[in-house]
Amino acid sequence: MGIGSDPAGWELDKIGPVHRIAVIPGDGIGREVTAEAVKILEAFGGVDLHYLPWSADHYLATGETIPTDGYDTLRSCDAILIGALGDPRVPDNRHARDILLGTRFELDLYVNYRPVRLLDDRLCPLKGRTRADVNFVVFRENTEGLYVGVGGRFKAGTPDEVAVQEEINTYKGVHRIIRHAFEFARARGIRSVCMTDKSNAMADGHALWQRVFRELQSEYPDVQGTHLYIDALAMLLVQNPGQFQIIVTNNLFGDIITDIGGALQGGLGMAASGNLHPGRTSMFEPVHGSAPPLAGKDVANPIGSILSAALMLETLGRADEAQRIERAVEAAVQARETTTDVGGALGTRAAGEAILRRL
Ligand code: NAD
Ligand code: IPM
Ligand code: MN
């Protein structure tokens, strides 16, 4: 979005937009990897960073997980970059539920977009597999399923305890995520979408997924819809990941298979994601968590966070910058200028620097 040129000859139309970005470093290694992603954003410019301290430290010090106007603050930004949340001092994960899951729900970020792309053959844990075998996208439903917190406990802490956790599947929720997967396929010229569920055992909730998938398939004759039960899909992700291009599934299954996806890319430290509501403020985060044993040691891989920042720029209409980041990451990985989890010998900061230098 240019702003026009002025009569004095300044090339103002070359100045890009300034995006207001909420940055939530969070807990543990989330802080360290976010710092590296932020350096890259700052190198490009065009960002107005708005730091939010929401974390386990903040919760333990103040009793507040997220302020009452917290979601409005997030909505007032163009995008959100978040590190990770989780701390052994908050065993019930209350702050993460409000900050991370709360934002997904309150901002209605119904698409969890998790690309799985191997950047260097040597990082694939599967014998004989190459980059051509690991290149797919998972669309995880992000606002319902088993995550909604419907349920409760009766006689908690006694031998008679009853624990109920309901899975919510709505026509609207299932429809919009499957439609998004088909639309993505069509826009990118991808010929197939695989929906995965457990409709053989979950005959009510997942029958809805079956129905909606069939309905939408009829609107997308150019894209072949296929189906696998989640257990079979888990096996095939390991045995023959090359058959997948787009996978669409519910909240919990998407969570689990994207950790497998992380492993296929060389480790969780490589995996990026976006929590999207197309056209609205969306949130970007690495797939990994706060990894408490690694925290504060300058060992965490910053690539998942850096690639999440690239997804953010792409979503904000800055595809050129996103591609430059992706190319720089790929070059650093291939040169083994990375952290040790992916075969290098660098610390978090030096690995971030190796990418920054290549931009
Ligand atoms: P985790 O992703 O934090 O770590 C699992 C393991 O993966 C680590 O021990 C490490 O070996 C490896 N790993 C992860 N990220 C890495 C990186 N950047 N570089 C190198 N290695 C990396 O998962 P966990 O141990 O199950 O969870 C720890 C905490 O994080 C928990 O509180 C959990 O709830 C939380 N969590 C948060 C998020 C999030 O905020 N999005 C995601 C997952 C887990
Ligand atoms: C993820 C994480 C979260 C999830 C946790 C921290 C609640 O594992 O983003 O993958 O399950 O969605
Ligand atoms: Mn997860």
Side-chain angles (χ1 to χ4, degrees), residues 185-209:
R186 182 174 274 174
R188 307 249 173 152
I190 297 173
R191 294 248 165 248
S192 77
V193 170
C194 179
M195 190 276 277
T196 183
D197 63 21
K198 189 68 189 171
S199 49
N200 48 354
M202 303 181 69
D204 293 313
H206 294 194
L208 180 57
W209 283 76

Side-chain angles (χ1 to χ4, degrees), residues 29 84-87 93 100 268-269 285 287-292 294 300-301 341:
I29 65 166
L85 290 153
D87 186 301
N93 217 23
L100 181 72
L268 264 184
E285 52 165 342
V287 173
H288 66 74
S290 57
L294 308 186
N301 185 348
D341 55 311

Side-chain angles (χ1 to χ4, degrees), residues 239-251:
Q239 229 168 39
N240 181 18
Q243 71 187 269
F244 296 109
Q245 293 174 296
I246 297 177
I247 297 170
V248 60
T249 191
N250 68 30
N251 209 337

Side-chain angles (χ1 to χ4, degrees), residues 39-231:
K39 285 178 201 163
I40 295 201
L41 293 175
E42 283 176 330
F44 284 123
V47 287
D48 169 19
L49 302 175
H50 187 59
Y51 278 92
L52 299 165
W54 310 336
S55 61
D57 279 347
H58 180 77
Y59 173 56
L60 292 168
T62 65
E64 176 186 81
T65 57
I66 180 165
T68 42
D69 60 354
Y71 301 121
D72 287 335
T73 302
L74 297 177
R75 280 188 202 97
S76 74
C77 295
D78 295 303
I80 306 158
L81 182 68
I82 187 163
L85 290 153
D87 186 301
R89 294 170 300 164
V90 188
D92 65 0
N93 217 23
R94 211 186 131 202
H95 69 304
R97 279 210 306 279
D98 285 358
I99 301 164
L100 181 72
L101 300 182
T103 300
R104 291 177 184 169
F105 295 141
E106 292 292 325
L107 274 65
D108 200 27
L109 306 176
Y110 64 92
V111 178
N112 198 325
Y113 171 47
R114 296 189 159 183
V116 178
R117 196 159 78 91
L118 181 64
L119 298 184
D120 187 334
D121 291 351
R122 115 195 111 74
L123 292 183
C124 188
L126 306 178
K127 196 167 54 184
R129 297 294 178 191
T130 66
R131 297 187 66 184
D133 297 299
V134 181
N135 188 6
F136 60 93
V137 168
V138 177
F139 288 110
R140 164 186 177 188
E141 200 294 318
N142 214 29
T143 50
E144 46 188 56
L146 270 162
Y147 276 69
V148 293
V150 172
R153 269 178 289 175
F154 178 53
K155 298 189 180 177
T158 76
D160 297 323
E161 178 163 345
V162 179
V164 177
Q165 191 96 43
E166 297 282 1
E167 187 183 88
I168 303 300
N169 297 279
T170 69
Y171 183 84
K172 172 185 160 188
V174 174
H175 198 270
R176 64 186 183 173
I177 188 67
I178 295 180
R179 181 180 288 291
H180 189 86
F182 274 116
E183 283 292 325
F184 183 91
R186 182 174 274 174
R188 307 249 173 152
I190 297 173
R191 294 248 165 248
S192 77
V193 170
C194 179
M195 190 276 277
T196 183
D197 63 21
K198 189 68 189 171
S199 49
N200 48 354
M202 303 181 69
D204 293 313
H206 294 194
L208 180 57
W209 283 76
Q210 292 281 330
R211 172 193 155 198
V212 174
F213 194 57
R214 272 196 307 274
E215 278 180 22
L216 280 167
Q217 167 73 88
S218 65
E219 288 185 40
Y220 296 86
D222 48 323
V223 181
Q224 193 202 355
T226 62
H227 172 262
L228 284 167
Y229 296 122
I230 185 66
D231 45 355

